[in-house]
Amino acid sequence: MRIALDAMGGDYAPEAVVKGAILAAEQLEKDDVILLIGKEDVIQPLLNEYNYAGNNITIVHASQVIEMGEHPTKALSQKTDSSIAVGYGLLKMQKADAFCSAGNTGAMLVGAMFSVKAVEGILRPSIGGLVPKLNGGFGIMLDVGANADCKPEVLEQFGEIGSIYAKYVLEIPNPKVGLMNLGEEEGKGTVVTQAAHQRLKANTNINFIGNIEGRDLFNDKADVIVCDGYTGNIILKMAENIYDILNEKNMHDPFFDKFNYEAVGGSPILGINGNAVIGHGVSSPKAICNMVLQAQKMVSSKLSERFHKKYSV
Amino acid sequence: MRIALDAMGGDYAPEAVVKGAILAAEQLEKDDVILLIGKEDVIQPLLNEYNYAGNNITIVHASQVIEMGEHPTKALSQKTDSSIAVGYGLLKMQKADAFCSAGNTGAMLVGAMFSVKAVEGILRPSIGGLVPKLNGGFGIMLDVGANADCKPEVLEQFGEIGSIYAKYVLEIPNPKVGLMNLGEEEGKGTVVTQAAHQRLKANTNINFIGNIEGRDLFNDKADVIVCDGYTGNIILKMAENIYDILNEKNMHDPFFDKFNYEAVGGSPILGINGNAVIGHGVSSPKAICNMVLQAQKMVSSKLSERFHKKYSV
């Protein structure tokens, strides 16, 4: 397995990424390789400085960097030798099984759509957010930001896509799908969620349990939480902020500690021809390590192939 | 000042309501009166049992009760002598300055629209949710559930209505208005929030500071948080759930304790001809007391009159 990792992406890159890669390399299988993408003359000295002497990290040179504030489409078209462009190039040519970056989120999304592209039959690729559950483990919420507005049929498909992720990556048998809404009754909600409810209910591919509410995010009602990217993004950032506040107040607890982005490392892009994970801009070495391990899980569970098999005719 | 209070509304009614009314009566001005609406033969024995001997509580008999599960419109048309119908009757005839109930939320909303009605010129009355701020005090978020879908012009007006509430009830001079969104940049968001952003930006009646994100809910960026009722409802219930989880884990903190519905007592209905507050179904005596005190503040700050003066020509 070859996992490409953008060495130049994130506020603390390249140092935090190189450290994270070394942490991950220690936990990967013997034959697994991390392809560390970026400026070789910057990365190699760091590997030396951190005394990395293993065989699981290979540098892939990329001379350019897309900065956090750059316009995604413009940057990708102009910086064809940027670490993100090179990473997606490797993914497209199947020289990498997964690509991870804590860099420019927009460029990661646009890059995916321009290179490996959406799986044929998938209406809208989405970003999945991992939601910690009170009774242990995680659920998956989608979308958390790729699609602000979603049509009912898109929300329905999120239920299917999320179920595949939950089943194979989170290893939850027969995952329960819930539609985020303002009330449990099926007539509640926006025009779009009301229509989506009917579609999800009629869909025999999934285990739809009905509407869930804001209070159900962390309980066991649903393993797959379906919502538009506007709503999911607000929920995710609110949860991250709760963690930050608790942390500042020195209030610690194993459940709330899982709200920390470091615990999961990143958010998978779901529904593209390849496995890609977007990390948090402020990713620490631990976050980078967990992002790589999440990508490893996506690859070993054949996530991308499963989407392709299900949707592409 | 006369504050009408539904003695029969809420999961723990009438006991919790009567207890709450007694708590509130102790904190009201000498001339203020709580009109406790419900079955006299049930309420009077409770007042006796709790040794209430003051002059600030008057019973207003209502022979019927709208139960929590009943269909609002149907129940209101059939139960014309229910405590909610009687309460709104008093409000409409200006025999009460405010009406509070922890009963059927739908009936409280429908009752408002059928009796005192929306202020002419107000597009959509909304429910305001009080949001605790890290640096003290509260902000107001609207809508939190009355209108799942909102047009841009409705969101714009929420900015105005919320500003009036923040200025006069929360006593925040020149309140900052933020549009809840998935990114700070003005081009971000749904089609509706993008359009609402432009309207809010052009509105010279308010102090619009731009988009805010899920992570900004509790900080000082905005005193008035504008969003549709679907989003606001999810945010509010998620915050309540966070409080419940912290409480179960015995993690206490003055800031997070303000997430408890008891701290504010209820959510005001904004934009109707009268002051009304909806309490949480599980309202305790403390919650009821704070709901009455919130209503008192709305009356003394002339909230309803201010809406009327601004919008009704």
Side-chain angles (χ1 to χ4, degrees):
Chain A
M1 185 187 302
R2 289 149 304 172
I3 298 171
L5 173 62
D6 175 5
M8 316 308 282
D11 297 345
Y12 305 119
E15 294 81 357
V17 183
V18 174
K19 282 181 186 168
I22 295 171
L23 284 174
E26 289 163 4
Q27 295 178 59
L28 293 176
E29 300 293 318
K30 196 170 167 285
D31 296 339
D32 293 345
V33 175
I34 294 173
L35 305 173
L36 209 41
I37 308 167
K39 296 178 182 175
E40 189 161 17
D41 59 354
V42 172
I43 301 170
Q44 188 59 58
L46 288 173
L47 285 171
N48 297 342
E49 186 184 333
Y50 305 144
N51 300 315
Y52 182 72
N55 298 314
N56 298 84
I57 297 178
T58 302
I59 299 172
V60 175
H61 182 67
S63 63
Q64 295 171 306
V65 177
I66 295 178
E67 304 296 339
M68 295 305 254
E70 284 192 78
H71 187 277
T73 318
K74 209 169 145 186
L76 276 165
S77 65
Q78 289 174 350
K79 294 183 171 175
T80 53
D81 199 38
S82 62
S83 49
I84 290 180
V86 169
Y88 275 121
L90 293 173
L91 196 63
K92 191 181 178 183
M93 293 179 291
Q94 300 183 358
K95 289 186 179 171
D97 300 295
F99 176 44
C100 310
S101 172
N104 187 311
T105 301
M108 277 299 286
L109 266 180
V110 172
M113 300 306 283
F114 281 8
S115 60
V116 294
K117 296 188 173 69
V119 171
E120 206 184 333
I122 283 194
L123 303 169
R124 293 284 198 106
S126 59
I127 304 177
L130 290 158
V131 177
K133 291 292 186 178
L134 272 165
N135 289 338
F138 286 88
I140 180 112
M141 175 165 68
L142 64 174
D143 179 23
V144 298
N147 313 280
D149 286 295
C150 292
K151 290 181 178 167
E153 56 268 34
V154 171
L155 292 177
E156 180 193 1
Q157 204 178 59
F158 286 172
E160 293 182 344
I161 291 170
S163 294
I164 294 171
Y165 186 94
K167 191 170 175 184
Y168 296 103
V169 182
L170 301 178
E171 298 180 54
I172 300 168
N174 198 25
K176 291 168 285 186
V177 178
L179 176 65
M180 184 51 76
N181 214 328
L182 51 67
E184 287 184 341
E185 304 86 343
E186 73 176 65
K188 288 283 181 87
T190 61
V191 171
V192 169
T193 57
Q194 287 179 43
H197 184 107
Q198 295 307 321
R199 296 186 76 109
L200 285 159
K201 195 176 156 185
N203 189 319
T204 53
N205 291 324
I206 56 170
N207 177 17
F208 182 56
I209 55 97
N211 292 338
I212 59 166
E213 300 179 76
R215 68 168 69 98
D216 300 318
L217 201 64
F218 309 114
N219 66 25
D220 286 341
K221 276 197 184 167
D223 307 300
V224 177
I225 296 162
V226 173
C227 60
D228 60 75
Y230 170 82
T231 308
N233 186 273
I234 291 168
I235 291 173
L236 194 75
K237 287 181 182 162
M238 183 174 156
E240 282 180 1
N241 181 241
I242 297 278
Y243 170 77
D244 288 341
I245 295 171
L246 287 167
N247 207 30
E248 275 166 33
K249 289 180 177 290
N250 212 16
M251 292 168 75
H252 297 288
D253 173 83
F255 168 67
F256 284 106
D257 286 348
K258 292 202 294 176
F259 279 43
N260 184 355
Y261 73 96
E262 286 188 334
V264 291
S267 300
I269 306 179
L270 301 171
I272 56 171
N273 291 301
N275 299 299
V277 187
I278 306 176
H280 205 295
V282 295
S283 284
S284 63
K286 184 182 170 190
I288 296 287
C289 170
N290 283 331
M291 174 161 67
V292 171
L293 297 178
Q294 190 190 146
Q296 181 197 30
K297 193 79 211 287
M298 287 165 71
V299 174
S300 64
S301 63
K302 302 191 192 334
L303 186 67
S304 172
E305 291 95 314
R306 290 184 196 276
F307 290 140
H308 195 266
K309 198 175 162 189
K310 174 159 176 64
Y311 293 100
S312 186
V313 185
Chain B
M1 185 187 302
R2 289 150 304 173
I3 299 170
L5 173 62
D6 175 6
M8 317 308 282
D11 297 346
Y12 305 118
E15 293 83 357
V17 183
V18 175
K19 282 182 186 167
I22 295 172
L23 284 175
E26 291 164 1
Q27 296 178 58
L28 292 176
E29 299 294 318
K30 196 172 166 284
D31 296 337
D32 292 345
V33 175
I34 295 173
L35 305 173
L36 209 42
I37 308 167
K39 298 179 181 175
E40 189 161 14
D41 59 351
V42 172
I43 301 170
Q44 188 59 58
L46 287 173
L47 285 172
N48 297 343
E49 185 185 333
Y50 305 146
N51 301 314
Y52 181 70
N55 299 313
N56 299 85
I57 298 179
T58 302
I59 300 173
V60 175
H61 182 66
S63 63
Q64 296 172 305
V65 177
I66 296 177
E67 305 294 340
M68 295 306 255
E70 285 192 78
H71 187 277
T73 317
K74 210 170 145 185
L76 276 167
S77 65
Q78 289 173 350
K79 294 183 172 175
T80 53
D81 198 38
S82 62
S83 50
I84 290 180
V86 170
Y88 274 121
L90 293 173
L91 197 62
K92 191 182 178 184
M93 293 178 292
Q94 299 184 1
K95 290 185 179 173
D97 300 297
F99 176 44
C100 311
S101 173
N104 187 311
T105 300
M108 277 298 287
L109 266 180
V110 172
M113 300 307 283
F114 280 9
S115 60
V116 294
K117 296 189 172 67
V119 172
E120 206 185 332
I122 283 193
L123 304 168
R124 294 285 198 104
S126 59
I127 304 177
L130 289 160
V131 177
K133 291 293 185 175
L134 271 165
N135 289 339
F138 286 88
I140 180 111
M141 176 166 67
L142 64 175
D143 180 24
V144 300
N147 313 280
D149 286 297
C150 292
K151 290 181 179 166
E153 55 269 35
V154 171
L155 292 177
E156 180 193 0
Q157 204 179 57
F158 286 172
E160 294 182 344
I161 291 169
S163 293
I164 293 170
Y165 186 95
K167 191 170 173 184
Y168 295 104
V169 182
L170 301 178
E171 298 180 54
I172 300 167
N174 198 24
K176 291 168 282 183
V177 178
L179 176 66
M180 185 51 78
N181 215 327
L182 54 64
E184 287 184 342
E185 304 86 343
E186 73 174 66
K188 287 285 180 85
T190 62
V191 171
V192 169
T193 57
Q194 287 178 42
H197 184 106
Q198 295 307 322
R199 296 185 76 108
L200 286 159
K201 195 175 155 186
N203 189 318
T204 53
N205 291 322
I206 56 168
N207 178 17
F208 182 57
I209 55 97
N211 292 337
I212 59 166
E213 301 178 76
R215 67 167 70 98
D216 300 317
L217 201 62
F218 309 114
N219 66 25
D220 287 339
K221 275 196 185 168
D223 306 300
V224 177
I225 297 162
V226 173
C227 60
D228 60 75
Y230 169 83
T231 308
N233 186 274
I234 291 168
I235 290 173
L236 195 75
K237 287 180 180 160
M238 182 174 158
E240 282 181 1
N241 182 240
I242 297 278
Y243 170 78
D244 288 341
I245 295 171
L246 286 167
N247 207 31
E248 275 167 34
K249 291 180 177 289
N250 211 15
M251 293 168 75
H252 297 288
D253 173 81
F255 168 68
F256 285 107
D257 286 348
K258 293 201 294 177
F259 280 42
N260 184 356
Y261 73 96
E262 287 187 334
V264 290
S267 301
I269 306 180
L270 301 172
I272 56 171
N273 291 302
N275 298 299
V277 187
I278 307 176
H280 206 295
V282 296
S283 284
S284 63
K286 185 183 171 190
I288 296 288
C289 170
N290 283 331
M291 174 162 64
V292 171
L293 296 178
Q294 190 190 147
Q296 182 197 31
K297 193 77 212 284
M298 286 163 72
V299 175
S300 64
S301 64
K302 303 189 192 334
L303 186 66
S304 172
E305 291 94 315
R306 291 183 194 279
F307 290 140
H308 194 267
K309 197 175 162 190
K310 175 160 175 64
Y311 293 101
S312 186
V313 186

